[in-house]
């Protein structure tokens, strides 16, 4: 999000320089037109044609049968776990290196998160460390496609077997592919987020996708206060208000009309960064495994000792030049609500300390990417 656009020090700068945000919404199509239709017709709440049209377009793009628009990516995860009937006494395996929402949702249903370490190059859940996490209580695995790179789904499924469902948290990987198939279509249930910094956005918003009709029915029931589809104001279960509004659906539909453009643009940005940063000592570039199409939601580098300046110092120096960056997530097992397990996750701990997300807005120009890459080189040489 372009939350940090204030000038660092405009007076001493002498001239106003525009800050480069890590990300920002790109409302490049019919967003305003569709939203104004909502306003002029009065269909601004959680009924209206745009929600269904957005769901339909999303399903066409992902080749997923049931696509259920919800209020955000966190409620999408909550609904996925509820639909799978995960509850107290159950364990859910989740990477410690993820955005906190993937883990919080497990707590919402009263289950216990069991952390797993990640791969050093993709930053995703490490399939070879999964086996040790399985127990008779394992009810599901959440595979998070981090920063745009898909998880190695076959390797994960090989360990979990057919009985343990996999939830894909695809919030950061819109349009990414695993062996030619879109993420979000690879497992029992998948979830997406359309927060303002995600590849496509509806401001706040989310989607749950599944090809299982029973699960889809449960999710639709639960997201709408538990009201029966057949009998109005009859509530067979305790539900939630996790609905998306028609205004969000309108923005989402317009964003979907540019879906391929967003994917292509993200990849183009990554290609430029790659060529400009490929020979900078101490900068480790993101990978794209042979099974993967990476959409580089955030172009993510590691800053190692060879760079000569610490990751945190680099953040400060870039900030002073008007370039906003973002440190990697803290591993969740080090956050107060989840600490104290006594376990170590060395890969997650290392990449968390070394990792940096560079500006990845689809509004970035080639000139700005050159400026950012140049600034990174400069920061290295200033001791
Ligand atoms: C953004 C994100 C979410 C949560 O989405 P919200 O829409 O912000 O609730 C969940 N998981 C991951 C990996 C995310 O990046």
């Amino acid at each position: 999000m372009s939350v940090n656009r204030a000038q660092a020090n405009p007076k001493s700068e002498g001239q106003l320089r525009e800050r480069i945000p890590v990300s920002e919404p790109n409302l490049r199509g019919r967003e305003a037109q569709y939203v104004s239709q909502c306003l002029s017709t009065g269909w601004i709440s959680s009924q209206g044609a745009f929600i269904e049209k957005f769901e339909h377009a999303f399903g066409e793009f992902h080749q997923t049968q049931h696509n259920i628009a919800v209020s955000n990516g966190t409620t999408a995860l909550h609904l996925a776990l509820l639909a799978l009937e995960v509850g107290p006494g159950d364990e859910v395996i989740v990477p410690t290196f993820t955005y906190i929402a993937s883990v919080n949702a497990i707590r919402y249903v009263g289950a216990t998160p069991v952390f797993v370490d990640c791969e050093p190059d993709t930053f995703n859940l490490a399939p070879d460390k999964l086996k040790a996490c399985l127990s008779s209580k394992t009810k599901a695995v959440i595979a998070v496609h981090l920063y745009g790179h898909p998880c190695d789904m076959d390797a994960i499924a090989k360990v979990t077997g057919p009985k343990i469902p996999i939830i894909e948290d695809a919030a950061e990987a819109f349009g990414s592919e695993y062996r030619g198939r879109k993420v979000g279509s690879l497992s029992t249930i998948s979830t997406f987020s359309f927060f303002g910094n995600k590849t496509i956005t509806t401001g706040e918003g989310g989607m749950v996708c599944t090809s299982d009709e029973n699960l889809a029915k449960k999710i639709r029931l639960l997201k709408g206060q538990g009201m029966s589809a057949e009998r109005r104001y009859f509530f067979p279960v305790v539900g939630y208000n996790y609905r998306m509004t028609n205004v969000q659906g309108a923005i989402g539909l317009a964003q979907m009309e540019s879906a391929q453009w967003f994917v292509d643009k993200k990849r183009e940005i990554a290609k430029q960064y790659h060529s400009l940063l490929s020979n900078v000592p101490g900068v480790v570039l993101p990978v794209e495994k042979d099974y993967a199409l990476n959409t580089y939601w955030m172009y993510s580098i590691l800053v190692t000792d060879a760079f000569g300046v610490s990751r945190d110092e680099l953040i400060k120096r870039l900030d002073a030049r008007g370039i906003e960056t973002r440190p990697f997530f803290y591993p969740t097992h080090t956050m107060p609500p989840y600490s104290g397990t006594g376990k170590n996750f060395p890969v997650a701990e290392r990449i968390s300390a070394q990792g940096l997300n560079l500006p990845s807005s689809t509004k970035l120009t080639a000139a700005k990417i050159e400026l950012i890459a140049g600034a990174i080189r400069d920061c290295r040489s200033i001791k």
Side-chain angles (χ1 to χ4, degrees):
M1 291 281 282
S2 51
V3 286
N4 199 8
R5 293 183 123 192
Q7 298 303 312
N9 204 346
K11 274 177 195 148
S12 67
E13 249 349 68
Q15 66 188 114
L16 291 179
R17 225 192 317 144
E18 202 191 333
R19 283 183 64 79
I20 302 177
V22 165
S23 64
E24 61 194 316
N26 190 345
L27 308 171
R28 63 187 298 277
R30 297 201 182 101
E31 287 82 357
Q33 186 190 321
Y34 291 166
V35 168
S36 108
Q37 277 181 44
C38 297
L39 298 174
S40 60
T41 58
W43 291 95
I44 57 169
S45 198
S46 53
Q47 287 178 22
F50 282 120
I51 300 162
E52 230 171 86
K53 284 184 181 167
F54 177 38
E55 289 176 342
H56 182 76
F58 204 83
E60 289 274 293
F61 185 74
H62 290 92
Q63 295 296 300
T64 40
Q65 236 173 318
H66 305 279
N67 303 274
I68 302 146
V70 296
S71 51
N72 61 59
T74 310
T75 55
L77 282 162
H78 189 190
L79 289 167
L81 291 163
L82 289 167
L84 292 170
E85 292 174 17
V86 180
D90 296 330
E91 293 178 352
V92 178
I93 300 173
V94 65
T96 181
F97 188 66
T98 183
Y99 180 58
I100 195 82
S102 328
V103 187
N104 282 345
I106 300 169
R107 279 280 177 87
Y108 295 167
V109 298
T112 305
V114 174
F115 294 121
V116 60
D117 208 350
C118 55
E119 297 178 319
D121 50 0
T122 67
F123 317 136
N124 286 327
L125 185 164
D128 59 330
K129 293 181 181 152
L130 197 51
K131 198 169 182 188
C133 302
L134 290 171
S135 84
S136 58
K137 294 178 182 167
T138 309
K139 195 72 187 275
V141 174
I142 300 181
V144 188
H145 307 297
L146 222 71
Y147 300 139
H149 196 290
C151 294
D152 189 350
M153 295 302 287
D154 288 348
I156 293 170
K158 210 171 160 188
V159 182
T160 56
K163 287 201 186 115
I164 299 170
I166 299 171
I167 299 170
E168 287 172 78
D169 180 347
E172 302 184 357
F174 176 89
S176 298
E177 292 175 14
Y178 179 73
R179 301 196 189 282
R181 287 162 66 203
K182 293 257 173 358
V183 304
S185 69
L186 307 164
S187 67
T188 309
I189 304 190
S190 66
T191 64
F192 287 85
S193 162
F194 311 121
F195 183 63
N197 67 6
K198 299 289 157 71
T199 300
I200 69 158
T201 183
T202 61
E204 294 273 3
M207 191 77 76
V208 189
C209 307
T210 180
S211 291
D212 182 315
E213 195 173 341
N214 276 328
L215 291 173
K217 271 190 186 156
K218 274 200 221 170
I219 292 161
R220 287 202 186 275
L221 179 71
L222 288 167
K223 87 161 203 186
Q225 218 66 278
M227 187 164 84
S228 160
E230 288 83 34
R231 278 168 81 184
R232 279 184 83 200
Y233 297 104
F234 186 80
F235 301 93
V237 296
V238 176
Y240 302 81
N241 178 358
Y242 284 173
R243 295 182 296 253
M244 174 178 271
T245 67
N246 200 43
V247 180
Q248 289 167 290
I251 300 171
L253 179 64
Q255 293 270 288
M256 282 310 295
E257 289 170 356
S258 292
Q260 193 57 48
W261 184 89
F262 280 114
V263 169
D264 294 343
K265 191 75 194 175
K266 287 281 192 192
R267 288 179 60 76
E268 189 186 309
I269 291 167
K271 211 171 156 189
Q272 280 179 42
Y273 271 130
H274 257 72
S275 66
L276 293 165
L277 293 173
S278 61
N279 55 2
V280 181
V283 172
V284 179
L285 302 184
V287 299
E288 182 170 53
K289 288 294 182 80
D290 58 1
Y291 56 72
L293 184 132
N294 188 349
T295 51
Y296 306 93
W297 169 58
M298 293 262 174
Y299 191 83
S300 305
I301 62 170
L302 299 180
V303 181
T304 66
D305 289 345
F307 190 72
V309 164
S310 75
R311 189 269 316 260
D312 291 345
E313 180 59 27
L314 175 59
I315 291 176
K316 272 191 214 152
R317 292 184 183 185
L318 291 173
D319 185 67
R321 291 164 177 247
I323 299 165
E324 187 195 10
T325 57
R326 213 177 76 166
F328 273 19
F329 304 124
Y330 292 107
T332 313
H333 74 274
T334 66
M335 298 291 94
Y338 299 105
S339 62
T341 59
K343 287 185 199 153
N344 292 321
F345 301 90
V347 180
E349 285 161 28
R350 177 175 62 79
I351 63 167
S352 166
Q354 294 180 335
L356 189 63
N357 304 125
L358 300 183
S360 301
S361 160
T362 54
K363 289 183 171 177
L364 274 179
T365 58
K368 280 194 176 149
I369 297 170
E370 260 176 55
L371 188 142
I372 297 161
I376 292 171
R377 286 171 187 277
D378 288 353
C379 288
R380 181 175 186 269
S381 56
I382 305 164
K383 285 278 152 63

